[in-house]
Coordinates of all heavy atoms in Angstrom, one line a residue:
M1 N 17.5 4.9 -15.3 CA 16.3 4.6 -14.6 C 16.6 3.5 -13.5 O 17.2 2.5 -13.9 CB 15.2 4.2 -15.5 CG 13.9 3.9 -14.7 SD 12.5 3.5 -15.8 CE 12.4 4.9 -16.8
D2 N 16.2 3.7 -12.3 CA 16.3 2.8 -11.2 C 15.6 1.5 -11.5 O 14.5 1.6 -12.1 CB 15.9 3.5 -10.0 CG 16.1 2.6 -8.7 OD1 15.7 1.5 -8.7 OD2 16.7 3.2 -7.8
N3 N 16.2 0.4 -11.2 CA 15.6 -0.9 -11.4 C 14.3 -1.1 -10.6 O 13.3 -1.7 -11.1 CB 16.5 -2.1 -11.1 CG 16.0 -3.4 -11.6 OD1 15.5 -3.5 -12.7 ND2 16.3 -4.4 -10.8
R4 N 14.2 -0.5 -9.5 CA 13.0 -0.6 -8.6 C 11.9 0.2 -9.3 O 10.7 -0.2 -9.3 CB 13.2 0.0 -7.2 CG 14.1 -0.9 -6.4 CD 14.4 -0.3 -5.1 NE 15.3 0.9 -5.3 CZ 15.6 1.8 -4.4 NH1 15.1 1.7 -3.3 NH2 16.4 2.7 -4.7
D5 N 12.2 1.4 -9.9 CA 11.2 2.2 -10.6 C 10.7 1.3 -11.8 O 9.5 1.3 -12.1 CB 11.8 3.5 -11.2 CG 12.0 4.5 -10.1 OD1 11.6 4.3 -8.9 OD2 12.6 5.5 -10.3
S6 N 11.6 0.7 -12.5 CA 11.3 -0.1 -13.7 C 10.2 -1.2 -13.3 O 9.2 -1.4 -14.0 CB 12.4 -0.7 -14.3 OG 12.1 -1.5 -15.4
E7 N 10.6 -1.9 -12.2 CA 9.7 -3.0 -11.8 C 8.4 -2.5 -11.3 O 7.4 -3.1 -11.6 CB 10.4 -3.8 -10.7 CG 11.6 -4.6 -11.2 CD 11.3 -5.5 -12.3 OE1 10.3 -6.2 -12.2 OE2 12.1 -5.5 -13.3
K8 N 8.4 -1.4 -10.6 CA 7.0 -0.9 -10.2 C 6.2 -0.4 -11.4 O 5.0 -0.6 -11.4 CB 7.3 0.4 -9.3 CG 5.9 0.9 -8.7 CD 6.2 1.9 -7.6 CE 4.8 2.4 -7.1 NZ 4.9 3.5 -6.2
M9 N 6.8 0.2 -12.4 CA 6.1 0.6 -13.6 C 5.5 -0.6 -14.2 O 4.3 -0.6 -14.6 CB 7.0 1.3 -14.6 CG 7.5 2.6 -14.2 SD 8.7 3.2 -15.5 CE 9.4 4.6 -14.6
K10 N 6.2 -1.7 -14.4 CA 5.7 -2.9 -15.0 C 4.5 -3.5 -14.2 O 3.6 -4.0 -14.8 CB 6.9 -3.9 -15.2 CG 7.9 -3.5 -16.2 CD 9.1 -4.4 -16.2 CE 10.2 -3.8 -17.1 NZ 11.4 -4.6 -16.9
K11 N 4.7 -3.5 -12.9 CA 3.7 -4.0 -12.1 C 2.4 -3.2 -12.1 O 1.3 -3.9 -12.3 CB 4.2 -4.0 -10.6 CG 3.2 -4.5 -9.6 CD 3.8 -4.4 -8.2 CE 2.8 -4.7 -7.1 NZ 2.1 -3.6 -6.6
L12 N 2.5 -1.9 -12.2 CA 1.3 -1.1 -12.3 C 0.7 -1.4 -13.7 O -0.6 -1.4 -13.7 CB 1.7 0.4 -12.1 CG 2.1 0.8 -10.8 CD1 2.7 2.2 -10.7 CD2 0.9 0.7 -9.8
A13 N 1.4 -1.5 -14.7 CA 0.8 -1.7 -16.0 C 0.2 -3.1 -16.1 O -1.0 -3.3 -16.6 CB 1.9 -1.6 -17.1
R14 N 0.8 -4.0 -15.4 CA 0.3 -5.4 -15.4 C -1.1 -5.4 -14.6 O -2.0 -6.2 -14.9 CB 1.2 -6.3 -14.6 CG 1.2 -7.8 -15.0 CD 2.2 -8.6 -14.4 NE 3.6 -8.1 -14.6 CZ 4.4 -7.7 -13.6 NH1 4.0 -7.8 -12.3 NH2 5.6 -7.2 -13.8
E15 N -1.2 -4.6 -13.6 CA -2.4 -4.4 -12.9 C -3.5 -3.6 -13.6 O -4.6 -3.5 -13.1 CB -2.1 -3.8 -11.5 CG -1.3 -4.8 -10.7 CD -0.8 -4.0 -9.4 OE1 -1.1 -2.9 -9.2 OE2 -0.2 -4.8 -8.5
G16 N -3.2 -3.1 -14.7 CA -4.2 -2.4 -15.5 C -4.2 -0.9 -15.5 O -5.0 -0.2 -16.1
K17 N -3.2 -0.3 -14.9 CA -3.1 1.2 -14.8 C -2.6 1.7 -16.1 O -1.7 1.2 -16.7 CB -2.1 1.6 -13.6 CG -2.2 3.1 -13.3 CD -1.6 3.4 -12.0 CE -1.8 4.8 -11.5 NZ -1.3 5.0 -10.2
L18 N -3.3 2.8 -16.5 CA -2.8 3.4 -17.8 C -1.5 4.0 -17.7 O -1.0 4.6 -16.6 CB -3.8 4.5 -18.1 CG -5.3 4.1 -18.4 CD1 -6.2 5.3 -18.6 CD2 -5.4 3.2 -19.6
I19 N -0.7 4.0 -18.8 CA 0.7 4.6 -18.8 C 0.6 6.0 -18.5 O 1.4 6.5 -17.8 CB 1.4 4.3 -20.1 CG1 1.6 2.7 -20.3 CG2 2.6 5.1 -20.3 CD1 2.1 2.3 -21.6
S20 N -0.4 6.7 -19.0 CA -0.5 8.2 -18.7 C -0.7 8.4 -17.2 O -0.1 9.4 -16.7 CB -1.6 8.8 -19.5 OG -2.9 8.2 -19.2
K21 N -1.4 7.5 -16.5 CA -1.5 7.7 -15.1 C -0.3 7.3 -14.3 O 0.1 7.9 -13.3 CB -2.8 6.9 -14.6 CG -4.1 7.4 -15.1 CD -5.2 7.0 -14.2 CE -6.5 7.5 -14.7 NZ -6.8 8.8 -14.1
I22 N 0.4 6.3 -14.8 CA 1.7 5.9 -14.2 C 2.6 7.1 -14.3 O 3.3 7.3 -13.3 CB 2.2 4.6 -14.9 CG1 1.3 3.4 -14.7 CG2 3.6 4.3 -14.4 CD1 1.7 2.2 -15.5
C23 N 2.6 7.7 -15.4 CA 3.5 8.9 -15.6 C 3.1 10.0 -14.6 O 3.9 10.5 -13.9 CB 3.5 9.4 -17.0 SG 4.3 8.5 -18.2
G24 N 1.8 10.4 -14.7 CA 1.4 11.5 -13.9 C 1.3 11.3 -12.4 O 1.7 12.3 -11.7
E25 N 0.9 10.1 -11.9 CA 0.7 9.9 -10.5 C 1.9 9.3 -9.8 O 2.1 9.6 -8.7 CB -0.5 9.0 -10.4 CG -1.8 9.6 -10.9 CD -3.0 8.7 -10.8 OE1 -2.8 7.6 -10.3 OE2 -4.0 9.1 -11.3
D26 N 2.6 8.4 -10.5 CA 3.6 7.7 -9.9 C 5.1 8.1 -10.2 O 6.0 8.0 -9.4 CB 3.5 6.2 -10.1 CG 2.1 5.6 -9.7 OD1 1.8 5.6 -8.5 OD2 1.3 5.4 -10.6
F27 N 5.3 8.5 -11.4 CA 6.6 8.8 -11.9 C 6.6 10.1 -12.8 O 7.0 10.1 -13.9 CB 7.2 7.6 -12.8 CG 7.3 6.4 -12.0 CD1 6.4 5.4 -12.0 CD2 8.5 6.2 -11.1 CE1 6.5 4.2 -11.2 CE2 8.6 5.1 -10.4 CZ 7.6 4.0 -10.4
P28 N 6.3 11.2 -12.1 CA 6.3 12.5 -13.0 C 7.7 12.9 -13.3 O 7.8 13.8 -14.2 CB 5.6 13.5 -12.0 CG 5.9 12.9 -10.6 CD 5.9 11.4 -10.7
Q29 N 8.7 12.3 -12.7 CA 10.1 12.7 -13.1 C 10.5 12.1 -14.5 O 11.5 12.5 -15.0 CB 11.1 12.3 -12.1 CG 11.3 10.8 -11.9 CD 10.4 10.1 -10.9 OE1 9.2 10.5 -10.8 NE2 10.8 9.0 -10.3
Y30 N 9.7 11.1 -15.0 CA 10.0 10.5 -16.3 C 9.0 11.0 -17.3 O 7.9 11.2 -17.0 CB 10.0 9.0 -16.2 CG 11.0 8.4 -15.2 CD1 10.5 7.7 -14.1 CD2 12.4 8.5 -15.5 CE1 11.5 7.2 -13.2 CE2 13.3 7.9 -14.6 CZ 12.8 7.3 -13.4 OH 13.7 6.8 -12.6
S31 N 9.5 11.0 -18.6 CA 8.5 11.3 -19.7 C 7.7 10.2 -20.0 O 8.1 9.0 -19.7 CB 9.4 11.8 -20.9 OG 10.1 10.6 -21.5
Y32 N 6.6 10.4 -20.7 CA 5.7 9.4 -21.1 C 6.4 8.3 -21.9 O 6.3 7.1 -21.8 CB 4.5 10.0 -21.9 CG 3.5 8.9 -22.4 CD1 2.4 8.6 -21.6 CD2 3.7 8.3 -23.6 CE1 1.5 7.6 -22.0 CE2 2.8 7.3 -24.1 CZ 1.7 7.0 -23.3 OH 0.8 6.0 -23.7
S33 N 7.2 8.8 -22.9 CA 8.0 8.0 -23.8 C 8.9 7.0 -23.0 O 9.2 5.9 -23.4 CB 8.7 8.7 -24.9 OG 9.6 9.6 -24.4
D34 N 9.6 7.6 -22.0 CA 10.4 6.8 -21.1 C 9.7 5.6 -20.4 O 10.2 4.5 -20.4 CB 11.2 7.6 -20.1 CG 12.2 8.5 -20.6 OD1 12.7 8.2 -21.8 OD2 12.5 9.6 -20.0
V35 N 8.6 6.0 -19.9 CA 7.8 5.0 -19.2 C 7.3 3.9 -20.1 O 7.2 2.7 -19.9 CB 6.6 5.6 -18.4 CG1 5.7 4.6 -17.7 CG2 7.2 6.5 -17.3
Y36 N 6.7 4.4 -21.2 CA 6.2 3.5 -22.3 C 7.3 2.6 -22.8 O 7.0 1.3 -22.8 CB 5.7 4.3 -23.5 CG 5.2 3.5 -24.7 CD1 3.8 3.2 -24.8 CD2 6.0 3.1 -25.7 CE1 3.3 2.5 -25.8 CE2 5.6 2.3 -26.7 CZ 4.2 2.0 -26.8 OH 3.8 1.3 -27.9
A37 N 8.4 3.1 -23.0 CA 9.6 2.2 -23.5 C 10.0 1.2 -22.4 O 10.3 0.1 -22.7 CB 10.7 3.1 -23.9
E38 N 10.0 1.7 -21.2 CA 10.4 0.7 -20.1 C 9.3 -0.4 -19.9 O 9.8 -1.6 -19.8 CB 10.5 1.5 -18.8 CG 11.2 0.7 -17.7 CD 12.6 0.4 -18.0 OE1 13.3 1.2 -18.7 OE2 13.1 -0.6 -17.5
I39 N 8.1 -0.1 -20.1 CA 7.0 -1.1 -19.8 C 7.0 -2.1 -21.1 O 7.1 -3.3 -20.9 CB 5.6 -0.4 -19.7 CG1 5.6 0.2 -18.3 CG2 4.5 -1.5 -19.8 CD1 4.4 1.1 -18.1
Y40 N 6.9 -1.5 -22.2 CA 6.9 -2.3 -23.5 C 8.2 -3.0 -23.7 O 8.2 -4.2 -24.3 CB 6.4 -1.6 -24.7 CG 4.9 -1.4 -24.6 CD1 4.3 -0.4 -23.9 CD2 4.0 -2.3 -25.3 CE1 3.0 -0.3 -23.9 CE2 2.7 -2.2 -25.2 CZ 2.1 -1.2 -24.5 OH 0.7 -1.1 -24.3
G41 N 9.3 -2.4 -23.4 CA 10.6 -3.0 -23.6 C 10.8 -4.2 -22.7 O 11.5 -5.1 -23.0
G42 N 10.1 -4.2 -21.5 CA 10.2 -5.3 -20.6 C 9.2 -6.4 -20.8 O 9.0 -7.3 -20.1
G43 N 8.5 -6.3 -22.0 CA 7.5 -7.3 -22.4 C 6.2 -7.2 -21.7 O 5.3 -8.0 -21.9
E44 N 5.9 -6.1 -21.0 CA 4.7 -5.8 -20.4 C 3.8 -5.0 -21.3 O 4.2 -4.3 -22.1 CB 4.8 -5.2 -19.0 CG 5.5 -6.0 -18.0 CD 4.8 -7.3 -17.6 OE1 3.5 -7.3 -17.6 OE2 5.4 -8.3 -17.3
R45 N 2.5 -5.1 -21.0 CA 1.5 -4.2 -21.7 C 0.4 -3.8 -20.7 O 0.1 -4.6 -19.8 CB 0.8 -5.0 -22.8 CG 1.8 -5.4 -23.9 CD 1.0 -6.4 -24.8 NE 1.6 -7.6 -24.6 CZ 1.4 -8.7 -25.2 NH1 0.5 -8.8 -26.2 NH2 1.9 -9.9 -25.0
S46 N 0.0 -2.6 -20.9 CA -1.2 -2.2 -20.0 C -2.4 -2.9 -20.5 O -2.5 -3.3 -21.7 CB -1.3 -0.7 -20.1 OG -1.8 -0.3 -21.4
A47 N -3.4 -3.0 -19.7 CA -4.7 -3.5 -20.1 C -5.3 -2.7 -21.2 O -5.8 -3.3 -22.2 CB -5.7 -3.6 -18.9
M48 N -5.2 -1.4 -21.2 CA -5.7 -0.6 -22.3 C -4.9 -0.8 -23.6 O -5.5 -0.9 -24.6 CB -5.6 0.9 -21.8 CG -6.2 1.8 -22.9 SD -7.9 1.6 -23.3 CE -8.6 2.3 -21.8
G49 N -3.6 -1.1 -23.5 CA -2.8 -1.3 -24.7 C -3.3 -2.6 -25.3 O -3.3 -2.7 -26.5
V50 N -3.5 -3.6 -24.5 CA -4.0 -4.9 -25.0 C -5.4 -4.8 -25.7 O -5.6 -5.3 -26.7 CB -4.0 -6.0 -23.9 CG1 -4.6 -7.3 -24.4 CG2 -2.6 -6.3 -23.4
K51 N -6.3 -4.0 -25.0 CA -7.5 -3.8 -25.6 C -7.5 -3.1 -27.0 O -8.1 -3.4 -27.9 CB -8.4 -2.9 -24.7 CG -9.8 -2.6 -25.1 CD -10.0 -1.2 -25.1 CE -11.3 -0.7 -25.8 NZ -11.2 -0.1 -27.1
K52 N -6.6 -2.1 -27.0 CA -6.4 -1.4 -28.3 C -5.8 -2.4 -29.4 O -6.2 -2.4 -30.6 CB -5.5 -0.2 -28.1 CG -6.2 0.9 -27.5 CD -5.2 2.1 -27.3 CE -5.8 3.3 -26.5 NZ -5.0 4.4 -26.4
M53 N -4.9 -3.2 -29.0 CA -4.3 -4.2 -29.9 C -5.4 -5.1 -30.4 O -5.5 -5.4 -31.7 CB -3.3 -5.0 -29.2 CG -2.0 -4.3 -28.9 SD -0.9 -5.2 -27.8 CE -0.3 -6.4 -28.9
I54 N -6.2 -5.6 -29.5 CA -7.3 -6.5 -30.0 C -8.3 -5.8 -30.9 O -8.7 -6.4 -31.9 CB -8.1 -7.0 -28.7 CG1 -7.2 -8.0 -27.9 CG2 -9.4 -7.7 -29.1 CD1 -7.8 -8.4 -26.6
S55 N -8.7 -4.5 -30.6 CA -9.6 -3.8 -31.4 C -9.0 -3.6 -32.8 O -9.7 -3.8 -33.8 CB -9.9 -2.5 -30.8 OG -10.6 -2.6 -29.6
S56 N -7.8 -3.2 -32.9 CA -7.1 -3.0 -34.2 C -7.0 -4.2 -35.0 O -7.3 -4.2 -36.3 CB -5.8 -2.3 -34.1 OG -4.8 -3.2 -33.6
R57 N -6.8 -5.4 -34.4 CA -6.7 -6.6 -35.1 C -8.0 -7.1 -35.6 O -8.2 -7.7 -36.7 CB -6.0 -7.7 -34.2 CG -4.5 -7.5 -34.3 CD -3.8 -8.0 -33.0 NE -2.4 -7.8 -33.0 CZ -1.7 -6.7 -32.8 NH1 -2.4 -5.5 -32.6 NH2 -0.4 -6.6 -32.8
L58 N -9.1 -6.9 -34.8 CA -10.5 -7.2 -35.2 C -10.9 -6.5 -36.4 O -11.5 -6.9 -37.3 CB -11.4 -7.1 -34.1 CG -11.4 -8.1 -32.9 CD1 -12.2 -7.7 -31.8 CD2 -11.8 -9.5 -33.4
K59 N -10.5 -5.2 -36.5 CA -10.8 -4.4 -37.7 C -10.1 -4.8 -38.9 O -10.6 -4.6 -40.0 CB -10.5 -2.9 -37.3 CG -11.4 -2.2 -36.3 CD -11.0 -0.8 -36.0 CE -11.8 -0.3 -34.9 NZ -11.3 1.0 -34.4
K60 N -8.9 -5.4 -38.8 CA -8.1 -5.8 -39.9 C -8.6 -7.2 -40.4 O -8.4 -7.5 -41.6 CB -6.7 -5.9 -39.3 CG -5.6 -5.8 -40.4 CD -4.3 -5.5 -39.8 CE -3.5 -6.7 -39.4 NZ -2.1 -6.4 -39.0
L61 N -9.3 -8.0 -39.6 CA -9.6 -9.3 -39.9 C -10.3 -9.5 -41.2 O -9.9 -10.4 -42.0 CB -10.4 -9.9 -38.8 CG -10.5 -11.3 -38.6 CD1 -9.1 -12.0 -38.4 CD2 -11.3 -11.7 -37.3
P62 N -11.3 -8.7 -41.6 CA -12.1 -9.0 -42.8 C -11.2 -8.9 -44.1 O -11.5 -9.5 -45.1 CB -13.2 -8.0 -42.9 CG -13.4 -7.5 -41.5 CD -12.0 -7.7 -40.9
S63 N -10.1 -8.1 -44.1 CA -9.4 -7.9 -45.3 C -8.2 -8.9 -45.5 O -7.5 -8.8 -46.5 CB -8.7 -6.5 -45.2 OG -7.8 -6.4 -44.2
L64 N -8.1 -9.9 -44.6 CA -7.1 -10.9 -44.7 C -7.5 -12.1 -45.4 O -8.7 -12.5 -45.5 CB -6.5 -11.2 -43.3 CG -6.0 -10.0 -42.5 CD1 -5.7 -10.4 -41.1 CD2 -4.8 -9.4 -43.2
S65 N -6.5 -12.9 -45.9 CA -6.7 -14.2 -46.4 C -7.1 -15.2 -45.3 O -6.9 -14.9 -44.1 CB -5.4 -14.7 -47.1 OG -4.5 -15.1 -46.1
P66 N -7.8 -16.3 -45.6 CA -8.2 -17.3 -44.6 C -7.0 -17.7 -43.7 O -7.2 -17.8 -42.5 CB -8.7 -18.4 -45.4 CG -9.2 -17.9 -46.6 CD -8.2 -16.7 -47.0
K67 N -5.8 -17.9 -44.3 CA -4.6 -18.3 -43.5 C -4.2 -17.2 -42.5 O -4.0 -17.4 -41.3 CB -3.5 -18.7 -44.4 CG -2.1 -18.9 -43.6 CD -2.1 -20.1 -42.8 CE -0.7 -20.3 -42.2 NZ -0.7 -20.3 -40.8
E68 N -4.2 -15.9 -43.0 CA -3.9 -14.8 -42.2 C -4.9 -14.6 -41.1 O -4.6 -14.2 -40.0 CB -3.7 -13.6 -43.1 CG -2.5 -13.6 -44.0 CD -2.5 -12.5 -45.0 OE1 -3.6 -12.1 -45.5 OE2 -1.4 -11.9 -45.2
Q69 N -6.2 -14.8 -41.4 CA -7.2 -14.7 -40.5 C -7.1 -15.7 -39.4 O -7.2 -15.4 -38.2 CB -8.6 -14.9 -41.1 CG -9.1 -13.8 -42.0 CD -10.5 -13.9 -42.6 OE1 -11.0 -15.1 -42.5 NE2 -11.0 -13.0 -43.2
S70 N -6.7 -16.9 -39.7 CA -6.5 -17.9 -38.7 C -5.4 -17.6 -37.7 O -5.5 -17.6 -36.5 CB -6.2 -19.3 -39.4 OG -6.0 -20.2 -38.4
D71 N -4.3 -17.1 -38.3 CA -3.2 -16.6 -37.5 C -3.5 -15.4 -36.6 O -3.2 -15.4 -35.4 CB -2.0 -16.2 -38.4 CG -1.4 -17.4 -39.1 OD1 -1.6 -18.5 -38.7 OD2 -0.6 -17.1 -40.1
L72 N -4.3 -14.6 -37.2 CA -4.7 -13.4 -36.3 C -5.7 -13.7 -35.2 O -5.6 -13.2 -34.1 CB -5.4 -12.3 -37.3 CG -5.5 -10.9 -36.7 CD1 -4.1 -10.4 -36.2 CD2 -6.0 -10.0 -37.7
I73 N -6.5 -14.7 -35.5 CA -7.5 -15.2 -34.5 C -6.7 -15.8 -33.4 O -7.0 -15.6 -32.2 CB -8.5 -16.2 -35.1 CG1 -9.5 -15.3 -36.0 CG2 -9.3 -16.9 -34.1 CD1 -10.4 -16.2 -36.9
D74 N -5.7 -16.6 -33.6 CA -4.8 -17.2 -32.6 C -4.2 -16.1 -31.8 O -4.1 -16.2 -30.6 CB -3.8 -18.0 -33.2 CG -4.3 -19.4 -33.8 OD1 -5.4 -19.7 -33.5 OD2 -3.7 -20.0 -34.6
E75 N -3.7 -15.0 -32.4 CA -3.1 -13.9 -31.7 C -4.1 -13.2 -30.8 O -3.8 -12.9 -29.7 CB -2.4 -12.9 -32.7 CG -1.7 -11.8 -32.0 CD -1.2 -10.8 -32.9 OE1 -1.1 -11.0 -34.1 OE2 -0.7 -9.7 -32.4
I76 N -5.3 -12.9 -31.3 CA -6.3 -12.3 -30.5 C -6.7 -13.2 -29.3 O -6.8 -12.7 -28.2 CB -7.6 -12.0 -31.4 CG1 -7.2 -10.9 -32.4 CG2 -8.8 -11.6 -30.5 CD1 -8.3 -10.7 -33.5
N77 N -6.8 -14.5 -29.5 CA -7.1 -15.4 -28.5 C -6.1 -15.3 -27.4 O -6.4 -15.3 -26.2 CB -7.2 -16.8 -29.0 CG -7.7 -17.8 -28.0 OD1 -8.6 -17.6 -27.3 ND2 -6.9 -18.9 -27.8
N78 N -4.8 -15.3 -27.7 CA -3.8 -15.1 -26.7 C -3.9 -13.8 -26.0 O -3.6 -13.8 -24.7 CB -2.4 -15.2 -27.4 CG -2.0 -16.6 -27.9 OD1 -2.6 -17.6 -27.4 ND2 -1.2 -16.7 -28.9
L79 N -4.2 -12.8 -26.7 CA -4.4 -11.4 -26.0 C -5.5 -11.4 -25.0 O -5.4 -10.9 -23.9 CB -4.5 -10.3 -27.0 CG -3.3 -10.0 -27.9 CD1 -3.7 -9.1 -29.1 CD2 -2.2 -9.4 -27.1
V80 N -6.6 -12.1 -25.4 CA -7.8 -12.3 -24.5 C -7.4 -13.0 -23.3 O -7.8 -12.6 -22.1 CB -9.0 -12.8 -25.3 CG1 -10.1 -13.1 -24.3 CG2 -9.5 -11.8 -26.3
W81 N -6.7 -14.1 -23.5 CA -6.3 -14.9 -22.3 C -5.4 -14.2 -21.4 O -5.4 -14.3 -20.2 CB -5.6 -16.2 -22.8 CG -6.6 -17.3 -23.0 CD1 -7.1 -17.7 -24.2 CD2 -7.3 -18.0 -22.0 NE1 -8.0 -18.7 -24.1 CE2 -8.2 -18.9 -22.7 CE3 -7.3 -18.0 -20.6 CZ2 -9.1 -19.8 -22.0 CZ3 -8.2 -18.9 -19.9 CH2 -9.0 -19.7 -20.6
D82 N -4.5 -13.3 -22.0 CA -3.6 -12.5 -21.2 C -4.5 -11.5 -20.3 O -4.2 -11.4 -19.1 CB -2.7 -11.6 -22.1 CG -1.7 -10.8 -21.4 OD1 -1.1 -11.3 -20.5 OD2 -1.7 -9.6 -21.7
L83 N -5.5 -10.9 -20.9 CA -6.4 -10.0 -20.1 C -7.1 -10.8 -19.0 O -7.2 -10.4 -17.9 CB -7.4 -9.4 -21.0 CG -6.9 -8.2 -21.8 CD1 -8.0 -7.7 -22.7 CD2 -6.3 -7.1 -21.0
Y84 N -7.6 -12.0 -19.3 CA -8.3 -12.8 -18.4 C -7.4 -13.2 -17.2 O -7.8 -13.1 -16.0 CB -8.8 -14.1 -19.1 CG -9.3 -15.1 -18.1 CD1 -10.6 -14.9 -17.5 CD2 -8.6 -16.2 -17.8 CE1 -11.1 -15.9 -16.7 CE2 -9.1 -17.2 -16.9 CZ -10.3 -17.0 -16.4 OH -10.9 -17.9 -15.4
N85 N -6.2 -13.6 -17.6 CA -5.2 -14.0 -16.4 C -4.8 -12.9 -15.5 O -4.7 -13.0 -14.3 CB -4.0 -14.7 -17.0 CG -4.3 -16.1 -17.6 OD1 -5.1 -16.8 -17.1 ND2 -3.7 -16.5 -18.7
R86 N -4.7 -11.7 -16.2 CA -4.4 -10.5 -15.3 C -5.5 -10.2 -14.4 O -5.3 -9.7 -13.3 CB -4.0 -9.3 -16.2 CG -2.7 -9.4 -16.8 CD -2.4 -8.2 -17.6 NE -1.2 -8.4 -18.4 CZ -0.5 -7.4 -18.9 NH1 -1.0 -6.1 -18.8 NH2 0.6 -7.5 -19.6
N87 N -6.7 -10.3 -15.0 CA -7.9 -10.0 -14.1 C -8.0 -11.0 -13.0 O -8.3 -10.6 -11.8 CB -9.2 -10.1 -15.0 CG -10.4 -9.7 -14.2 OD1 -10.5 -8.7 -13.6 ND2 -11.3 -10.6 -14.1
K88 N -7.7 -12.3 -13.2 CA -7.7 -13.3 -12.1 C -6.7 -12.8 -11.1 O -6.9 -13.0 -9.8 CB -7.4 -14.7 -12.7 CG -8.6 -15.4 -13.1 CD -8.3 -16.8 -13.7 CE -7.4 -17.6 -13.0 NZ -7.2 -18.9 -13.4
E89 N -5.4 -12.5 -11.5 CA -4.4 -12.1 -10.5 C -4.9 -10.9 -9.8 O -4.7 -10.8 -8.5 CB -3.1 -11.7 -11.3 CG -2.4 -12.9 -11.9 CD -1.3 -12.4 -12.8 OE1 -0.9 -11.2 -12.7 OE2 -0.7 -13.3 -13.5
S90 N -5.5 -9.9 -10.4 CA -6.0 -8.8 -9.7 C -7.1 -9.1 -8.7 O -7.1 -8.5 -7.5 CB -6.6 -7.7 -10.6 OG -5.5 -7.2 -11.4
Q91 N -8.0 -10.0 -9.1 CA -9.0 -10.4 -8.1 C -8.4 -11.1 -6.9 O -8.9 -10.9 -5.8 CB -10.0 -11.3 -8.9 CG -10.9 -10.7 -9.9 CD -11.7 -9.5 -9.3 OE1 -12.3 -9.7 -8.2 NE2 -11.8 -8.4 -10.0
Q92 N -7.5 -11.9 -7.1 CA -6.8 -12.6 -6.0 C -6.1 -11.6 -5.1 O -6.2 -11.7 -3.9 CB -5.8 -13.6 -6.5 CG -5.1 -14.4 -5.3 CD -6.2 -15.2 -4.6 OE1 -7.0 -15.9 -5.1 NE2 -6.1 -15.1 -3.3
K93 N -5.5 -10.6 -5.6 CA -4.9 -9.6 -4.8 C -5.9 -8.8 -4.0 O -5.7 -8.5 -2.8 CB -4.1 -8.6 -5.7 CG -2.8 -9.2 -6.2 CD -2.1 -8.2 -7.1 CE -0.9 -8.8 -7.8 NZ -0.3 -8.0 -8.8
L94 N -7.1 -8.5 -4.6 CA -8.1 -7.8 -3.9 C -8.7 -8.7 -2.7 O -8.9 -8.2 -1.7 CB -9.3 -7.5 -4.9 CG -9.1 -6.2 -5.7 CD1 -10.2 -6.1 -6.8 CD2 -8.9 -5.0 -4.9
E95 N -8.8 -10.0 -3.0 CA -9.3 -10.9 -1.9 C -8.3 -11.0 -0.8 O -8.7 -10.9 0.4 CB -9.5 -12.3 -2.5 CG -10.7 -12.4 -3.4 CD -10.9 -13.7 -4.0 OE1 -10.3 -14.8 -3.5 OE2 -11.6 -13.8 -5.1
D96 N -7.0 -11.0 -1.1 CA -5.9 -11.0 -0.1 C -6.0 -9.7 0.8 O -5.9 -9.7 2.0 CB -4.5 -11.2 -0.7 CG -4.4 -12.5 -1.4 OD1 -5.2 -13.4 -1.1 OD2 -3.4 -12.7 -2.2
I97 N -6.2 -8.6 0.0 CA -6.2 -7.3 0.7 C -7.5 -7.2 1.7 O -7.4 -6.8 2.8 CB -6.3 -6.1 -0.3 CG1 -4.9 -6.0 -1.0 CG2 -6.6 -4.8 0.4 CD1 -4.9 -5.1 -2.2
R98 N -8.6 -7.7 1.1 CA -9.8 -7.7 1.9 C -9.6 -8.5 3.2 O -10.1 -8.2 4.3 CB -11.0 -8.2 1.1 CG -11.5 -7.2 0.2 CD -12.8 -7.7 -0.5 NE -13.2 -6.7 -1.5 CZ -13.2 -6.9 -2.8 NH1 -12.9 -8.2 -3.3 NH2 -13.6 -6.0 -3.7
A99 N -9.0 -9.7 3.0 CA -8.8 -10.6 4.2 C -7.9 -9.9 5.2 O -8.2 -10.1 6.4 CB -8.1 -11.9 3.7
V100 N -6.9 -9.2 4.9 CA -6.1 -8.5 5.8 C -6.8 -7.4 6.5 O -6.7 -7.1 7.6 CB -4.8 -8.0 5.1 CG1 -4.0 -7.0 5.9 CG2 -3.9 -9.1 4.6
V101 N -7.6 -6.6 5.7 CA -8.3 -5.5 6.3 C -9.4 -5.9 7.2 O -9.7 -5.3 8.2 CB -9.0 -4.7 5.1 CG1 -9.9 -3.6 5.6 CG2 -7.9 -4.0 4.3
E102 N -10.0 -7.1 7.0 CA -11.1 -7.6 7.8 C -10.7 -8.2 9.1 O -11.5 -8.5 10.0 CB -11.9 -8.5 7.0 CG -12.8 -7.8 5.9 CD -13.5 -8.8 5.1 OE1 -13.4 -10.1 5.3 OE2 -14.3 -8.3 4.1
R103 N -9.4 -8.4 9.2 CA -8.8 -8.9 10.5 C -9.0 -8.1 11.7 O -9.1 -7.0 11.8 CB -7.4 -9.3 10.4 CG -7.2 -10.5 9.4 CD -5.7 -10.9 9.5 NE -5.5 -11.8 8.4 CZ -4.3 -12.2 8.0 NH1 -3.2 -11.6 8.5 NH2 -4.1 -13.0 7.1

């Protein structure tokens, strides 16, 4: 896989695009599993992937010991902050785009 393709895939996932849409719309030449592996292997996650991670961890929370709950709450907090920071980045990009368009 071309390094430029890999970087674009990660960028799109960071911006919140679903992996299935990245495959279908941007990289139909690659399989879903190839795109998934490239994104997650590079340390990136889609917004939908992070949402699913948070949901699954919240469901698991009641069955854990207090120490495990505390650890899981910390992990969930980090995931929420990740989503928040990505949203801020996306908002800044939109503002930059609007400024260019309005010129």
